[in-house]
Amino acid sequence: MGSSADHGGRGKKQGSQLWKKALLHSCLCFVMGFFTGFAPSSVSDWTSAAVAAGGVGSSHMVRALQSAAGGAVNRSLLARGGGAGLLLGGGGDASASPRPVLVVVTTTESAPAASGERAAALTRMAHTLRLVAPPLLWVVVEAAPDVPATARLLRTTGLMYRHLTYKDNFTAADAAAGRERHHQRNVALGHIEHHRLAGVVLFAGLGDVFDLRFFDQLREISAFGAWPVATMSRDERKVVVQGPACSSFAVTGWFSRDLGSNGTAASTAARPREVDVHGFAFNSSVLWDPERWGRYPTSEPDKSQDSMKFVQQVVLEDFSKVKGIPSDCSEVMVWHVDTTAPPSSSSQPSTGGKRR
């Protein structure tokens, strides 16, 4: 009896010791896991913690990495986190304001004679825009019958784009008179206004050539911007330079200079009747400004209801709101090649086109 009682006591004692050991191991594992969760999970976290503790900027970290690695730094890694600001010119400052979106509007022609040149011109423009720093939105407007081929082309550009179309019919005479392009620009501005696409709007024709520095200066526009444009015609051997006359970035007037084969003739005008669409840009918020609808009398509805005429009129009303590009407007950064074919004598007036 005594022996069996001793065995029972020892069994209970051993069972309780096993439970105590298991409980102790579980507690140790829990504590280790708890504190491990607070430890940095990667090398980048360690460096971030060191930067925060030592007050060292991201640019110092990049320079240290370059020195340690002999200048061989993986740019794709630096593009994440603190190094992104350095590569984009922001110095790694998280509070730096982002770049404004450039909304580039390109119109086309629906004339059969232009269909063969459209794809080549769009491809050339796409290659130009791919060299511009993002963010950029390319808005391409064209007639409905031309959509399939252009849609395939735009999908291969690698650009962010909007492809807009319309069903209105225009004749060759309308295209030569600029009515179709005017309608296309209104289609684009209507889309921008409807979707509140905030950014700087630029009208870039298929025959335009740009200095890449020009796009960086466009992002500095707060209301309106204007610049000299050199227009070349395929049918005439001359160049006409038109644009604002500036003192630093302030616009003081307008000038037009004809550089023909017979010499140079210059004329200056304080305020032109209509600004060239290739020579100005504006902040898109102007389109949904509440003061727009009360700015002009009801006897002149086109100035408020026609978006294209509205922005062309406003940019000429107050030069103090217009920023001259570049400084002193002393350099031509945009060249426009006029490829519009003259209307033939057999062309008939349009019956279905938009007339604004």
Side-chain angles (χ1 to χ4, degrees):
M1 294 290 293
S3 176
S4 62
D6 291 340
H7 284 295
R10 286 196 296 271
K12 291 181 179 180
K13 189 175 181 179
Q14 291 177 354
S16 62
Q17 291 177 350
L18 291 175
W19 278 108
K20 289 179 180 179
K21 289 181 180 180
L23 182 62
L24 178 62
H25 289 168
S26 299
C27 291
L28 289 175
C29 291
F30 174 78
V31 171
M32 291 180 64
F34 179 79
F35 285 104
T36 302
F38 289 98
S41 59
S42 65
V43 176
S44 61
D45 294 333
W46 286 99
T47 56
S48 300
V51 169
V56 182
S58 60
S59 60
H60 293 79
M61 292 296 297
V62 172
R63 284 197 291 268
L65 287 172
Q66 289 176 334
S67 299
V73 182
N74 190 335
R75 290 183 176 267
S76 63
L77 293 178
L78 294 180
R80 299 194 295 268
L86 181 67
L87 292 178
L88 295 177
D93 186 4
S95 62
S97 58
R99 292 191 183 99
V101 178
L102 290 183
V103 183
V104 181
V105 177
T106 298
T107 60
T108 62
E109 288 185 9
S110 58
S115 60
E117 302 175 1
R118 186 186 303 112
L122 285 170
T123 301
R124 183 184 63 81
M125 180 61 69
H127 284 305
T128 299
L129 298 181
R130 288 179 64 180
L131 299 175
V132 181
L136 182 145
L137 174 64
W138 190 19
V139 180
V140 179
V141 190
E142 65 177 350
D146 305 319
V147 167
T150 302
R152 289 192 296 268
L153 187 151
L154 293 175
R155 285 194 293 266
T156 63
T157 61
L159 294 168
M160 182 169 61
Y161 68 91
R162 297 283 178 92
H163 191 193
L164 309 181
T165 185
Y166 56 93
K167 296 182 179 180
D168 303 84
N169 297 320
F170 293 88
T171 64
D174 291 328
R179 299 188 189 97
E180 183 177 16
R181 291 184 184 274
H182 182 84
H183 176 65
Q184 290 178 342
R185 294 184 185 108
N186 273 326
V187 170
L189 294 183
H191 180 83
I192 293 170
E193 180 183 359
H194 178 74
H195 294 281
R196 294 295 196 270
L197 301 179
V200 177
V201 180
L202 167 70
F203 297 103
L206 291 179
D208 290 355
V209 180
F210 301 96
D211 187 321
L212 287 179
R213 298 171 299 164
F214 168 73
F215 293 98
D216 293 329
Q217 299 195 39
L218 280 181
R219 300 183 192 272
E220 301 175 4
I221 294 175
S222 58
F224 297 94
W227 52 85
V229 179
T231 302
M232 297 161 282
S233 175
R234 67 179 181 181
D235 298 321
E236 299 180 15
R237 299 173 61 93
K238 69 175 183 178
V239 177
V240 178
V241 181
Q242 294 178 321
C246 306
S247 175
S248 185
F249 290 103
V251 175
T252 59
W254 226 262
F255 77 92
S256 176
R257 180 171 301 168
D258 187 351
L259 306 177
S261 57
N262 297 328
T264 301
S267 60
T268 303
R271 197 179 303 270
R273 189 182 68 175
E274 185 178 88
V275 63
D276 183 5
V277 295
H278 302 278
F280 80 99
F282 63 96
N283 193 300
S284 61
S285 61
V286 173
L287 295 173
W288 51 84
D289 184 359
E291 297 182 0
R292 168 182 175 180
W293 307 110
R295 183 183 294 267
Y296 303 109
T298 55
S299 59
E300 300 178 354
D302 277 355
K303 290 186 177 180
S304 293
Q305 298 176 11
D306 188 306
S307 297
M308 193 62 220
K309 289 185 177 180
F310 169 73
V311 294
Q312 285 181 294
Q313 181 70 24
V314 173
V315 74
L316 294 175
E317 285 184 348
D318 187 358
F319 285 164
S320 64
K321 298 179 181 179
V322 184
K323 176 185 175 66
I325 298 175
S327 177
D328 293 325
C329 302
S330 57
E331 185 178 357
V332 176
M333 307 183 79
V334 178
W335 294 263
H336 172 63
V337 181
D338 187 4
T339 59
T340 303
S344 61
S345 58
S346 60
S347 297
Q348 297 296 328
S350 171
T351 57
K354 291 278 186 179
R355 296 185 182 273
R356 297 184 178 269

